[in-house]
Amino acid sequence: MDRVQSDAGKLSAGWSRLGVALGFATGLALLVSGCGRQAPAPEAVRAVRVMTVQTESRMNAMLYAADIRPQTESRLGFRVSGKLVQRLAAVGMHVKAGQLLAQLDAVDLKLGQDAAQASLQAAQTNLDQVSADNQRFQGLRAQGFISAAELERSDTALKAAKSQLEAARAQAGVQQHQAQYAALSADVAGVITATEAEVGQVLTAGTPVLRLAHDGPRDAVFAVPEDQVNAVKALVGRKEALRVQVWGSDQSLPATVREVAAVADPVARTFQVKADLGRAAVPLGQTATLSMPGGPGGTVEAGGLYLPLTALSEQAGKTVVWLLDEASMTVKPQPVELGVVVGDRLQIKAGLQAGQVVVTAGVHVLTPGLAVRRYVESPAAASATR
């Protein structure tokens, strides 16, 4: 009996020691686990671009894409037929008045000129002979050796010989001009804008060979829809009523509407308009943006608020902007009512007041009450964007 109690005591002591060991192990594991867990890092404050809303006065204008063209452009061709044997001009070349541009094979034309010259000499010789005969007939008539009718026939022959000489002289002049027409020269100074015939091609008279843009005034050519054509016609002749901004440069030029197409384009249903730029030094074919007032004389919208398109977002089906509370440096959405588009900016008709600070970039990731900070561009980045 004593032995059974001794064994039970030992078993109880063993379980007790096991429980202590398990408790120690569990506590150690919890301690290690607690040491390995780190506190979550605070969320970074988002940097945003902002702008202070200010009252602006803007001209209500409409913008059109235009291209720069010469006011006068000629399609040059030979005045005679023949085979093109030489073309001395290329696209983009500036040529002077009288400069040789192309040449036809002139062999046949020179043969025709020689034949006309020979006919002229024959007519001259015939006139000399008939004139000498007429003088003799006049002497014989004075002496009574020939009748009056014979003298009249001699006078008629003399008149015919003179007419034949005049015809031969005119034909010789024509053939001389024809031979000269085998050379195509520039009538005025300008720039070659297109070539329409190649060496070896047989051309008929008048076939275009080159296109020459004359030096001188330039036009900004653009197209307007039918509902704006009357407004454009009201600007015809009004000096410098338009502005032309050349793409790729800061050059802005005044322009005057000088011509509006009488009929609309059958496909696009737009009217072509030509605006005079004067002798502005603008490359031909350059693309430009033409700004036209929204009505005769234009209208100025005073007291308007304008924001870039990047400042707008949508929330719950409404257009909103995000206002910055400078006291707490948090943002909140503000519903706005939009007006007209002016270039890359939108007019805000209602919902904002001058002096409020609006976020202009990154609005798609903002939430109400989000803490933010102003974005400050580094000097290196600022210089890189210039």
Side-chain angles (χ1 to χ4, degrees), residues 7-23:
D7 290 340
K10 291 180 180 179
L11 180 61
S12 176
W15 279 109
S16 178
R17 287 193 297 272
L18 178 60
V20 172
L22 289 175

Side-chain angles (χ1 to χ4, degrees), residues 230-278:
N230 289 332
V232 176
K233 288 181 178 179
L235 298 175
V236 173
R238 184 175 297 175
K239 189 172 180 62
E240 300 182 355
L242 310 180
R243 299 296 300 182
V244 176
Q245 179 75 40
V246 180
W247 288 14
S249 75
D250 296 331
Q251 188 176 14
S252 179
L253 305 170
T256 304
V257 177
R258 72 175 186 88
E259 180 182 311
V260 180
V263 295
D265 182 273
V267 178
R269 304 308 304 168
T270 57
F271 288 78
Q272 186 182 77
V273 182
K274 296 180 180 179
D276 183 13
L277 293 174

Side-chain angles (χ1 to χ4, degrees), residues 1-344:
M1 185 68 179
D2 293 337
R3 184 176 181 180
V4 172
Q5 291 179 348
S6 176
D7 290 340
K10 291 180 180 179
L11 180 61
S12 176
W15 279 109
S16 178
R17 287 193 297 272
L18 178 60
V20 172
L22 289 175
F24 178 76
T26 301
L28 183 60
L30 291 175
L31 180 62
V32 173
S33 175
C35 293
R37 182 181 300 126
Q38 298 179 353
E43 184 177 355
V45 178
R46 187 176 299 277
V48 293
R49 292 180 183 270
V50 297
M51 67 171 287
T52 301
V53 181
Q54 296 179 349
T55 301
E56 302 179 24
S57 295
R58 289 178 174 266
M59 178 70 74
N60 181 18
M62 288 171 288
L63 304 179
Y64 297 95
D67 60 295
I68 308 303
R69 300 182 190 175
Q71 285 194 5
T72 306
E73 187 174 28
S74 304
R75 301 180 72 185
L76 305 181
F78 292 98
R79 299 170 67 174
V80 295
S81 302
K83 181 179 180 180
L84 184 63
V85 295
Q86 192 175 23
R87 195 187 68 201
L88 304 174
V91 174
M93 179 184 296
H94 187 274
V95 297
K96 300 178 181 179
Q99 182 174 337
L100 181 64
L101 304 179
Q103 181 74 48
L104 290 179
D105 184 356
V107 173
D108 293 342
L109 296 175
K110 289 183 178 179
L111 290 176
Q113 181 183 5
D114 293 342
Q117 191 65 34
S119 297
L120 176 61
Q121 293 177 356
Q124 182 65 56
T125 301
N126 181 60
L127 177 61
D128 294 341
Q129 181 62 47
V130 173
S131 179
D133 291 344
N134 182 260
Q135 290 180 358
R136 287 193 298 270
F137 284 167
Q138 288 179 357
L140 292 174
R141 175 57 185 163
Q143 298 175 15
F145 292 110
I146 60 173
S147 63
E150 190 69 23
L151 180 59
E152 289 178 358
R153 283 193 292 271
S154 177
D155 290 340
T156 302
L158 178 61
K159 292 179 182 178
K162 289 181 179 179
S163 297
Q164 290 174 0
L165 177 62
E166 292 298 325
R169 184 177 288 115
Q171 184 62 31
V174 169
Q175 291 298 325
Q176 182 179 4
H177 290 162
Q178 294 283 309
Q180 292 174 350
Y181 294 155
L184 180 62
S185 300
D187 297 328
V188 296
V191 178
I192 302 298
T193 57
T195 58
E196 302 185 19
E198 300 297 332
V199 173
Q201 186 174 345
V202 177
L203 308 173
T204 58
T207 301
V209 177
L210 298 166
R211 193 176 300 169
L212 176 66
H214 296 197
D215 285 347
R218 297 287 185 253
D219 279 342
V221 181
F222 61 103
V224 298
E226 292 180 277
D227 61 343
Q228 295 296 329
V229 69
N230 289 332
V232 176
K233 288 181 178 179
L235 298 175
V236 173
R238 184 175 297 175
K239 189 172 180 62
E240 300 182 355
L242 310 180
R243 299 296 300 182
V244 176
Q245 179 75 40
V246 180
W247 288 14
S249 75
D250 296 331
Q251 188 176 14
S252 179
L253 305 170
T256 304
V257 177
R258 72 175 186 88
E259 180 182 311
V260 180
V263 295
D265 182 273
V267 178
R269 304 308 304 168
T270 57
F271 288 78
Q272 186 182 77
V273 182
K274 296 180 180 179
D276 183 13
L277 293 174
R279 294 181 174 269
V282 183
L284 292 175
Q286 180 76 38
T287 305
T289 298
L290 187 139
S291 176
M292 187 183 77
T299 59
V300 176
E301 296 184 355
L305 303 177
Y306 296 86
L307 291 178
L309 300 178
T310 55
L312 303 175
S313 63
E314 186 174 348
Q315 204 174 61
K318 296 182 179 180
T319 301
V320 300
V321 298
W322 291 85
L323 299 180
L324 174 65
D325 184 352
E326 295 186 280
S328 62
M329 290 305 292
T330 58
V331 293
K332 66 176 182 179
Q334 172 64 40
V336 293
E337 182 181 347
L338 302 181
V340 297
V341 178
V342 181
D344 61 346

